[in-house]
Amino acid sequence: MSRNFQHWLHAYGEYTRHSESPDLFHFWTGVSTIGGALRRQVWIDQRFFQWTPNFYVVLVGPAGVAAKSTSAKIGMSLLERVDGVHFGPKSMTWQGLVVSLNKATDLVPFGKGIDAEYTPMSCVTCVVSELGTFLRPSDKEMVDVLVDLWDGQKETWRRGLATSDGYEVENPWINVIAATTPSWLQENFDESMIGGGLVSRIVFVYGDKKKMLIPYPSEVQNREEHEKMADMLVEDLQQIASIKGEYKLNAEAIEWGSAWYKDHWERRPEHMASERYSGYLARKQTHIHKLAIVLAAAQRSELVIKKEDIQDANLFMSMLEKDMTTVLQSIGVSENAQFSTEILSYLKVYTEMEQNILYRHVMTSMTVKQFEETCTGLIKGGKMRVIQRADKLMVRIRSKKADAADPPPLST
């Protein structure tokens, strides 16, 4: 049966074009939607482990600006219409998550007719409007369980308890899309979660502004056309959900992936030189191959990963890295870094302002000494510029265009 669209993610981008949310929010919601449809019915086998198409996607942005939760709900509302997909609760303990996985267990047939082999699969997709309702970073057991389940391995997962027989799940698989703000991450995540822990397994998608201003989306989107396209997207999702079995990389994909792997480990990207990105870089190959499965399924039902799928997956992951560094820089930061963020946030809004007026805005969160030391650090770091205009001392964020038109900067 032919599909309605040649590329489901491209069609989904068209479907969401009248949304104010950033395009990347919609792309990664689409990825999570396809992953939720595929479940653990597909994989890339590497003998010692398998890659499966589940993700922990977290949309990050200031409250009420980029419509994070709305973006996630658009894709998930389509996924809800796909037969056989189970959803997990929005708020839970790790024990509740395990109970939810057990309730979602299905016997999945691999093969046809009487020769089909039935395998138990316990798959859920969790849609979380506020990450804080789903995850409490202080709950180390919950964090450990999420870290453990991210791999989506084919196994009987067990977790014992001192006072009982513990918990057991057959082939658990969890797919998460959530939304949060930079301030929540800053307040709740600490440095210990970066590196080898949960943070390196999360795909952070950052957006701090609207793609466009659309006060009344219903005025620019025809209802019948909108509903028809939704139906067609769901029809294709149903076909995607029927894909079962092992994905194989063709010869060109293996050749390209091998060259990429060698280069990846021999040349560290300059923008990720900090040690705090080591965990993500160690898992980038896994992220890429998970995404390659989704990209392949978005275009065809054959269980083949082509070179273009791997290349595109690498491109999409690399596109995120600048924004990921922005997010990770807010986690486990020093007090001075928090002061810098506060000062720069005002300058982004006001563009340029008198230094004493800037201090009036931030004086409730830092002392005069802290303000002066932070400003000095921002100037030396090339983030802020001080300009003498007549009898006023002005400050603003550095930019090539504005710098070219300015008089020589003052050092303090």
Side-chain angles (χ1 to χ4, degrees):
M1 181 179 176
S2 63
R3 297 189 188 179
N4 294 308
F5 304 107
Q6 290 186 340
H7 198 306
W8 195 92
L9 286 169
H10 291 174
Y12 183 73
E14 179 68 12
Y15 176 68
T16 58
R17 71 188 185 281
H18 294 305
S19 164
E20 294 183 328
S21 304
D23 288 335
L24 278 178
F25 279 12
H26 294 304
F27 174 81
W28 282 97
T29 296
V31 168
S32 186
T33 302
I34 292 179
L38 289 169
R39 290 155 288 175
R40 212 210 170 281
Q41 296 179 161
V42 298
W43 62 88
I44 298 174
D45 184 40
Q46 291 299 303
R47 306 298 182 266
F48 300 110
F49 60 88
Q50 297 178 329
W51 287 313
T52 66
N54 64 313
F55 291 87
Y56 293 171
V57 174
V58 177
L59 309 180
V60 184
V65 175
K68 305 177 293 295
S69 298
T70 301
S71 300
K73 289 175 181 176
I74 294 172
M76 293 301 114
S77 67
L78 301 178
L79 185 61
E80 287 173 352
R81 297 168 58 185
V82 175
D83 297 334
V85 173
H86 300 285
F87 288 87
K90 296 176 174 60
S91 176
M92 69 182 84
T93 60
W94 72 263
Q95 294 93 336
L97 175 59
V98 173
V99 169
S100 177
L101 284 164
N102 272 321
K103 288 181 178 179
T105 302
D106 292 316
L107 286 175
V108 180
F110 292 91
K112 295 182 180 180
I114 60 174
D115 295 326
E117 294 184 6
Y118 287 81
T119 303
M121 297 284 178
S122 306
C123 307
V124 298
T125 288
C126 296
V127 189
V128 186
S129 296
E130 295 292 341
L131 185 59
T133 66
F134 177 79
L135 172 66
R136 289 182 293 111
S138 59
D139 184 350
K140 300 303 181 184
E141 285 189 296
M142 181 65 169
V143 171
D144 289 345
V145 168
L146 288 173
V147 167
D148 206 17
L149 294 178
W150 180 77
D151 291 324
Q153 296 305 297
K154 189 176 181 180
E155 62 183 0
T156 300
W157 183 88
R158 296 181 178 89
R159 193 171 183 87
L161 296 174
T163 57
S164 70
D165 293 334
Y167 292 82
E168 185 174 292
V169 187
E170 289 294 329
N171 300 321
W173 184 93
I174 178 173
N175 184 48
V176 179
I177 183 164
T180 194
T181 63
S183 59
W184 188 89
L185 290 174
Q186 191 175 52
E187 292 168 6
N188 291 277
F189 277 29
D190 59 36
E191 190 71 27
S192 66
M193 298 185 72
I194 302 178
L198 179 61
V199 169
S200 64
R201 291 167 168 84
I202 295 174
V203 175
F204 289 105
V205 187
Y206 182 76
D208 60 0
K209 56 179 67 71
K210 296 180 184 294
K211 176 177 63 179
M212 63 182 83
L213 296 176
I214 305 177
Y216 302 106
S218 62
E219 295 300 309
V220 295
Q221 178 68 62
N222 179 274
R223 180 190 294 273
E224 291 184 2
E225 291 179 359
H226 182 74
E227 292 177 352
K228 180 180 178 181
M229 192 165 189
D231 292 341
M232 294 169 69
L233 286 165
V234 171
E235 288 175 5
D236 282 2
L237 270 183
Q238 292 279 18
Q239 288 196 49
I240 291 171
S242 69
I243 302 173
K244 297 183 180 70
E246 178 186 348
Y247 269 94
K248 300 274 191 170
L249 281 72
N250 68 17
E252 287 185 332
I254 291 173
E255 182 181 3
W256 191 90
S258 298
W260 175 90
Y261 190 74
K262 183 176 185 293
D263 182 70
H264 175 70
W265 283 105
E266 291 181 351
R267 293 196 307 168
R268 189 178 182 122
E270 292 182 1
H271 64 282
M272 302 197 103
S274 171
E275 185 61 27
R276 60 173 40 211
Y277 306 125
S278 294
Y280 161 75
L281 290 172
R283 291 177 179 83
K284 185 173 180 179
Q285 185 196 29
T286 299
H287 284 298
I288 287 173
H289 285 80
K290 284 173 174 282
L291 183 54
I293 294 175
V294 169
L295 294 176
Q299 301 171 75
R300 56 191 177 273
S301 295
E302 293 81 8
L303 291 164
V304 177
I305 302 291
K306 299 180 179 180
K307 180 179 73 171
E308 293 78 14
D309 301 323
I310 298 285
Q311 289 176 322
D312 289 345
N314 177 56
L315 176 64
F316 282 118
M317 287 306 306
S318 299
M319 284 172 57
L320 276 188
E321 289 174 0
K322 181 179 179 181
D323 288 340
M324 288 175 69
T325 58
T326 299
V327 172
L328 293 180
Q329 284 169 0
S330 70
I331 298 174
V333 298
S334 66
E335 189 177 48
N336 285 341
Q338 295 179 37
F339 294 155
S340 296
T341 299
E342 182 74 356
I343 288 173
L344 291 175
S345 68
Y346 277 98
L347 292 180
K348 286 179 182 177
V349 173
Y350 288 93
T351 306
E352 182 175 295
M353 60 197 308
E354 291 183 62
Q355 195 166 22
N356 64 322
I357 294 177
L358 173 60
Y359 179 64
R360 290 178 197 171
H361 285 289
V362 301
M363 63 188 299
T364 57
S365 59
M366 64 189 81
T367 65
V368 173
K369 182 179 179 182
Q370 289 168 333
F371 175 75
E372 291 175 345
E373 290 177 348
T374 304
C375 287
T376 299
L378 287 170
I379 293 166
K380 289 183 177 179
K383 296 289 186 180
M384 191 173 84
R385 191 178 179 102
V386 182
I387 306 294
Q388 183 77 49
R389 298 196 187 281
D391 59 342
K392 295 180 179 180
L393 198 62
M394 310 295 290
V395 291
R396 65 162 176 79
I397 292 177
R398 295 289 303 264
S399 75
K400 290 182 179 179
K401 183 177 180 180
D403 288 353
D406 274 343
L410 299 176
S411 59
T412 57

